[in-house]
Amino acid sequence: MTGIDDVARALGVSTATVSRALRGLPGVSAATRGKVLAKAEELGYVASSSAAHLASGRTMAMGVLLPLIDRWYFSSALEGVDRALRAAGYDMVVFSLGGTGLNRDRVFHRSMLRKRIDALLVMCMELTPEELAALQQLDYPNVTIGGYVDGLRNVSIDDGGAATDAMEYLIGLGHTRIAHVRGGGEYGIEFAVPQQREEAYRAALERHGLEARPQWLITGEFRFLESKLAAARLFDQPGERPTAVFASSDEMAFGVLVAAQERGIRVPEELSVIGIDDHEFAEPIGLTTVRQSPEDQGSYAAELLLGELQGAPRLATPPFQPHELIIRRSTAPPPSS
Amino acid sequence: MTGIDDVARALGVSTATVSRALRGLPGVSAATRGKVLAKAEELGYVASSSAAHLASGRTMAMGVLLPLIDRWYFSSALEGVDRALRAAGYDMVVFSLGGTGLNRDRVFHRSMLRKRIDALLVMCMELTPEELAALQQLDYPNVTIGGYVDGLRNVSIDDGGAATDAMEYLIGLGHTRIAHVRGGGEYGIEFAVPQQREEAYRAALERHGLEARPQWLITGEFRFLESKLAAARLFDQPGERPTAVFASSDEMAFGVLVAAQERGIRVPEELSVIGIDDHEFAEPIGLTTVRQSPEDQGSYAAELLLGELQGAPRLATPPFQPHELIIRRSTAPPPSS
DNA sequence: GTGAAAGCGCTAACAT
DNA sequence: ATGTTAGCGCTTTCAC
């Protein structure tokens, strides 16, 4: 594998010159720089990141810690992170917990500590006090995406605000019997988010003098299947049915939609459904939702860290990322009873 | 940050002993090893991967190159790769093209060449001859997942076989008017897969003396929305309608389902729909499909490479990964006309 | 079973 | 503008 000496020797210059030229540092004549670039290209030379790290202290890589990859929010956010890192010439190393609580300490006590990265993005994780301590001890620049961890900065939408927007919209349409499908805190995935949204649900009901019926608060684990099952149980309850369902995510809203459809409950005539996310499937299905962009949140968070690595002042409180109500066909005024 | 010397000094042993003890190498007494392990734990010492790489030649990291993260197959396969790597103590560095053709050469000529990884997994990519050459020149052990690249080994299901199973099932039910939604080769994503499935579709029709109508072969780009639009056009064509649709992926089958539903076409009474994948949503929706497990394919591929890095003989032709017909509610015999 | 020391391939400080 | 050189923090011979 061709090294910096090969390039230097081929040109009769020193390795320092090659290093400087390749990294665009000052102190190299245009002519020399040109020759170096050409020769490096010709020989297919690229610096070894390990050697560069050892010598410079920078790995040019960033880590992402997440509970699971294969979930809409996570993979979208990962895409955004990668986009920002790619543009900055950084590599992305991904630490997934794989959806289980196992391996957690392995990740915390081996991988992340291997000094492979310059900064760390923590995605939607609920950390134990020990893990938080371990993380802070590493003292990488870090930031959380889509999850509040005490003592860490967070990049996300205003979850309470987004949920409030959804509720106010339903209430504004005239709904008074509103159910809520909340997400769950499985696998140590973030729990502050579903909780904040639930609180906004309750607060909206209360603000408008509406009844919060315990049996209308159901749990969907942030998943389609679980939500469909929970919605089925909701619809099959004796007595009055809600005229609207506010789901804490689009995937869960899809579950509600399918459960309703299987029972012949017409949407939106008999039942309004609203979600949060603007998942790829939401538009084709006609789901009203509150849009957020995990991809933008990911790239914003990555850029934040990238900037700080380059000496930008530390931003103590990242601003809320935007959310927006998107009205489609799944919501309408309640049936005039 | 605590280094190997700190541990050695604290114990009054040499760095060589610490290194050996920590890596489980022979030539260390049980007593010494115990002390070293305890002290390392106490000091929170973990070897720097860069320094270890430089000295040993091994990075203990594997790269994954893919066109996009945020897509069912990709993120599931990534999860599987990560699972296998995690178990082996390897880290995963992800190179995404981000769904565009841009940055391709950046990835090929910078990131991947940085000697950050010991082996490379290439996921569902169509490579230019130059890229293939670049890749082979790197001479990382490598393997492809879910995409055939000339000259590289591939881990995937038997795509032709899977498509044949789907078609034979529909034909066995009595269908004679069968449409096909094929995937597309956008963004330089693999194109052999949709093509092989399409060929199996054609071959099955021909084998049974059924007509292949060009207007019944539509393209869904492996996406829900595009597939729904294409299916809508299909259903709105004048003349006879197909009684069954074979979609090359579940997400595209969902599009067909929604397009049918919007037109009041009853499934499965008037229209049977079958997909490939067994996407998370397939079961709750009742979609008949041919199951594959990208996660298992990912971990199989990773383990293959991991084994070879440890000296296992090179497997020239990885076996096909399993697929299985899963019959649900979206298929039935055609309406008796 | 253990230690000393020579690198691994770069970068950065210091010379020139 | 360019060269020299001392590390960066490990692993791995080679001695003992």
Side-chain angles (χ1 to χ4, degrees):
Chain A
M1 195 128 276
T2 128
I4 197 171
D5 309 292
D6 299 316
V7 182
R9 212 174 310 122
L11 254 31
V13 301
S14 71
T15 62
T17 298
V18 174
S19 178
R20 282 191 279 253
L22 254 23
R23 289 181 299 147
L25 262 40
V28 185
S29 73
T32 310
R33 167 161 293 134
K35 284 191 298 184
V36 171
L37 260 44
K39 183 58 78 179
E41 172 76 40
E42 179 195 331
L43 300 178
Y45 168 74
V46 177
S48 154
S49 59
S50 294
H53 171 207
L54 228 48
S56 72
R58 274 167 271 110
T59 64
M60 296 298 279
M62 209 177 278
V64 183
L65 176 61
L66 35 58
L68 191 67
I69 298 172
D70 180 20
R71 195 152 236 64
W72 179 78
Y73 185 92
F74 302 144
S75 58
S76 302
L78 216 45
E79 192 76 65
V81 169
D82 185 74
R83 167 157 48 90
L85 294 185
R86 224 183 307 126
Y90 271 65
D91 289 330
M92 177 171 81
V93 11
V94 175
F95 307 100
S96 169
L97 262 30
T100 71
L102 313 169
N103 301 103
R104 274 185 88 104
D105 52 328
R106 157 111 58 161
V107 168
F108 272 89
H109 293 95
R110 299 198 59 78
S111 300
M112 278 173 39
L113 293 159
R114 290 232 217 121
K115 302 138 187 169
R116 210 189 271 286
I117 57 178
D118 293 332
L120 182 67
L121 290 148
V122 179
M123 211 178 274
C124 301
M125 301 258 308
E126 179 187 344
L127 302 176
T128 66
E130 294 76 34
E131 289 170 342
L132 180 60
L135 205 156
Q136 285 172 322
Q137 201 183 359
L138 294 175
D139 76 5
Y140 295 130
N142 61 50
V143 68
T144 297
I145 303 181
Y148 309 84
V149 173
D150 244 19
L152 300 184
R153 297 176 296 169
N154 179 245
V155 170
S156 74
I157 58 168
D158 173 4
D159 284 290
T164 301
D165 288 359
M167 287 299 292
E168 289 297 335
Y169 173 64
L170 291 177
I171 292 168
L173 285 175
H175 291 277
T176 57
R177 306 194 324 248
I178 307 176
H180 178 52
V181 190
R182 60 161 285 161
E186 29 149 23
Y187 303 141
I189 295 182
E190 229 287 311
F191 63 27
V193 169
Q195 191 172 320
Q196 290 190 2
R197 294 178 184 174
E198 179 189 335
E199 276 162 18
Y201 160 76
R202 292 177 185 282
L205 290 181
E206 191 168 342
R207 199 164 49 242
H208 291 272
L210 301 176
E211 192 183 354
R213 313 193 196 183
Q215 72 273 25
W216 286 359
L217 175 59
I218 61 180
T219 285
E221 305 293 330
F222 278 127
R223 290 167 180 272
F224 182 95
L225 176 59
E226 278 72 10
S227 174
K228 182 193 152 190
L229 296 174
R233 285 190 299 271
L234 171 70
F235 295 144
D236 294 343
Q237 285 173 11
E240 239 179 1
R241 212 166 56 199
T243 61
V245 177
F246 162 43
S248 193
S249 80
D250 282 0
E251 292 193 40
M252 295 196 295
F254 300 152
V256 175
L257 250 20
V258 170
Q261 185 192 323
E262 288 182 356
R263 278 159 187 72
I265 302 171
R266 285 170 303 141
V267 172
E269 293 81 0
E270 300 175 81
L271 183 78
S272 285
V273 178
I274 191 170
I276 292 184
D277 277 347
D278 200 27
H279 184 285
E280 184 187 349
F281 292 2
E283 190 274 318
I285 279 180
L287 178 71
T288 294
T289 191
V290 179
R291 173 185 294 163
Q292 69 168 326
S293 170
E295 195 170 333
D296 290 345
Q297 291 165 41
S299 65
Y300 178 86
E303 278 159 8
L304 186 77
L305 258 27
L306 246 10
E308 292 177 6
L309 286 174
Q310 285 157 37
R314 196 189 126 96
L315 183 62
T317 314
F320 281 131
Q321 300 301 297
H323 68 262
E324 182 192 0
L325 178 68
I326 307 288
I327 297 169
R328 297 205 179 95
R329 306 188 303 275
S330 68
T331 44
S336 46
S337 46
Chain B
M1 194 130 278
T2 129
I4 197 170
D5 308 292
D6 299 316
V7 182
R9 211 173 310 121
L11 255 30
V13 300
S14 70
T15 61
T17 298
V18 174
S19 178
R20 283 193 277 254
L22 254 23
R23 289 180 300 146
L25 261 40
V28 185
S29 72
T32 311
R33 166 161 294 135
K35 283 192 297 184
V36 171
L37 260 43
K39 184 59 76 178
E41 172 76 40
E42 180 195 332
L43 301 179
Y45 168 74
V46 177
S48 153
S49 59
S50 295
H53 171 206
L54 227 48
S56 71
R58 274 167 269 110
T59 64
M60 296 300 278
M62 209 176 277
V64 183
L65 176 60
L66 34 58
L68 190 68
I69 297 172
D70 180 21
R71 194 153 238 63
W72 179 78
Y73 185 93
F74 301 144
S75 58
S76 302
L78 215 45
E79 192 77 64
V81 169
D82 185 74
R83 167 157 49 91
L85 295 185
R86 224 184 307 126
Y90 272 65
D91 289 330
M92 177 171 81
V93 10
V94 175
F95 307 100
S96 169
L97 262 31
T100 71
L102 313 168
N103 300 105
R104 273 184 89 105
D105 53 328
R106 157 112 58 160
V107 168
F108 273 90
H109 294 94
R110 300 197 59 79
S111 301
M112 277 173 40
L113 293 159
R114 291 232 216 121
K115 301 137 186 166
R116 211 189 269 285
I117 58 178
D118 293 332
L120 182 66
L121 290 147
V122 179
M123 213 178 273
C124 300
M125 302 257 308
E126 178 188 345
L127 301 178
T128 67
E130 294 75 33
E131 290 170 341
L132 180 60
L135 205 156
Q136 285 173 324
Q137 200 184 359
L138 294 174
D139 77 4
Y140 295 129
N142 60 50
V143 68
T144 296
I145 303 179
Y148 309 84
V149 174
D150 246 20
L152 301 184
R153 297 177 295 170
N154 179 245
V155 169
S156 74
I157 58 168
D158 174 4
D159 285 289
T164 301
D165 288 358
M167 286 299 293
E168 288 296 335
Y169 174 63
L170 291 178
I171 293 169
L173 286 175
H175 291 277
T176 57
R177 306 193 327 246
I178 307 176
H180 178 51
V181 190
R182 59 161 286 160
E186 28 149 25
Y187 303 141
I189 295 181
E190 229 285 311
F191 61 27
V193 170
Q195 189 171 321
Q196 290 191 2
R197 294 178 184 173
E198 179 189 333
E199 276 163 19
Y201 160 76
R202 292 178 185 282
L205 291 181
E206 190 168 344
R207 201 164 47 243
H208 291 273
L210 301 177
E211 193 184 353
R213 312 192 196 183
Q215 72 274 26
W216 286 0
L217 176 60
I218 61 179
T219 285
E221 304 293 329
F222 278 127
R223 289 169 181 271
F224 182 91
L225 177 59
E226 279 72 10
S227 173
K228 182 193 154 191
L229 297 174
R233 286 192 297 272
L234 172 69
F235 295 145
D236 294 342
Q237 285 173 9
E240 240 180 1
R241 210 166 59 201
T243 61
V245 178
F246 162 44
S248 193
S249 80
D250 281 0
E251 292 193 40
M252 296 197 293
F254 300 152
V256 175
L257 250 21
V258 171
Q261 186 192 323
E262 288 182 356
R263 279 160 185 71
I265 301 171
R266 286 170 302 141
V267 172
E269 294 81 359
E270 300 175 82
L271 183 79
S272 285
V273 178
I274 191 169
I276 291 185
D277 277 347
D278 201 27
H279 183 285
E280 184 186 351
F281 292 2
E283 190 275 316
I285 279 181
L287 177 69
T288 295
T289 190
V290 179
R291 172 185 294 161
Q292 68 168 327
S293 170
E295 195 169 333
D296 290 345
Q297 291 164 41
S299 65
Y300 178 85
E303 278 159 8
L304 185 78
L305 257 30
L306 246 11
E308 292 176 7
L309 286 174
Q310 285 158 38
R314 196 189 127 94
L315 183 61
T317 314
F320 280 130
Q321 302 299 299
H323 68 262
E324 182 192 2
L325 178 68
I326 307 287
I327 297 169
R328 297 204 179 95
R329 306 187 304 276
S330 68
T331 45
S336 44
S337 45

